[in-house]
């Protein structure tokens, strides 16, 4: 059950879904994303849960950025929508925050939070790389747990 983690390759060929409702702020974020070192980035932008589903018809993201300006309720809906879709249920999600004052969302599906005031291309690159690695590790451990559980059940049934 060997799973290779090729985060460098994943970051070099990134399918990025950006979710937010402020076009001016999104354009600033997108400019930083374009500066990711040595990356080919295919990017789609969504503004709410409906447009997320519209984008997923033809697009399969490898990483998702959500701007917390969409509001707490819409953030929860977006994360839930992404967690339930077969194309995105295993894709790492990072939330871009305005401040550390309020916790945006306590979902286990969100792997990282980045303050917009400290957002740099290098910091975003590190977050993407780490989030992909963490998500793959989580999936590997979950699969290993399920396999071991099945083995234990079959062993118990034999006795």
């Amino acid at each position: 059950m060997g799973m290779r983690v090729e985060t460098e390759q994943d970051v070099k060929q990134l399918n990025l879904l950006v979710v937010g409702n402020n076009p001016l702020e999104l354009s600033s974020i997108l400019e930083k994303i374009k500066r990711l070192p040595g990356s080919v980035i295919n990017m789609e932008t969504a503004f709410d849960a409906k447009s997320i589903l519209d984008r997923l018809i033809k697009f399969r993201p490898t990483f998702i950025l959500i701007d917390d300006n969409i509001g707490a309720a819409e953030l929860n809906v977006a994360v839930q929508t992404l967690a339930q879709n077969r194309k995105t249920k295993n894709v790492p999600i990072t939330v871009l925050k305005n401040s550390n004052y309020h916790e945006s969302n306590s979902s286990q599906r969100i792997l990282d939070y980045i303050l917009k005031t400290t957002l740099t291309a290098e910091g975003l690159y590190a977050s993407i790389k780490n989030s992909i690695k963490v998500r793959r590790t989580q999936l590997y451990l979950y699969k290993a747990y399920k396999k071991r559980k099945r083995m234990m059940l079959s062993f118990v049934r034999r006795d």
Side-chain angles (χ1 to χ4, degrees):
M1 196 160 105
M3 179 186 267
R4 289 181 23 202
V5 177
E6 298 181 40
T7 55
E8 293 290 335
Q9 186 63 27
D10 289 337
V11 175
K12 287 182 180 167
Q13 297 177 3
L14 186 65
N15 288 341
L16 178 65
L17 177 63
V18 180
V19 181
N21 64 359
N22 183 338
L24 284 177
E25 206 161 292
L26 285 180
S27 65
S28 166
I29 293 165
L30 298 179
E31 283 303 314
K32 289 177 179 145
I33 291 168
K34 288 178 185 175
R35 287 184 260 165
L36 288 176
S39 298
V40 174
I41 301 168
N42 301 310
M43 202 166 16
E44 289 286 334
T45 305
F47 302 100
D48 55 22
K50 183 191 178 316
S51 62
I52 287 171
L53 293 173
D54 291 343
R55 299 308 177 272
L56 295 179
I57 291 170
K58 294 182 180 179
F59 187 68
R60 181 177 225 108
T62 53
F63 190 78
I64 300 166
L65 277 175
I66 303 177
D67 184 349
D68 76 345
N69 274 348
I70 63 173
E74 190 64 39
L75 177 62
N76 287 329
V77 170
V79 170
Q80 186 176 1
T81 300
L82 293 163
Q84 292 172 350
N85 188 287
R86 65 179 175 77
K87 287 185 177 181
T88 56
K89 68 180 180 183
N90 295 322
V91 176
I93 298 172
T94 292
V95 172
L96 299 170
K97 293 184 61 166
N98 286 313
S99 74
N100 269 339
Y101 185 69
H102 294 289
E103 190 61 37
S104 295
N105 188 310
S106 60
S107 172
Q108 293 177 341
R109 289 283 297 124
I110 298 172
L111 291 182
D112 200 4
Y113 294 90
I114 300 175
L115 281 174
K116 290 180 210 171
T117 56
T118 62
L119 182 65
T120 63
E122 296 79 19
L124 185 57
Y125 178 81
S127 176
I128 290 170
K129 197 165 93 172
N130 291 337
S131 293
I132 290 171
K133 191 175 188 178
V134 166
R135 188 66 185 141
R136 286 216 175 128
T137 301
Q138 287 175 337
L139 293 172
Y140 174 79
L141 292 173
Y142 179 71
K143 287 177 184 177
Y145 167 76
K146 284 179 70 171
K147 182 178 179 182
R148 187 153 297 163
K149 189 175 175 182
R150 279 193 312 269
M151 288 172 53
M152 290 302 290
L153 286 174
S154 66
F155 178 75
V156 170
R157 289 180 186 148
R158 284 188 220 159
D159 290 343

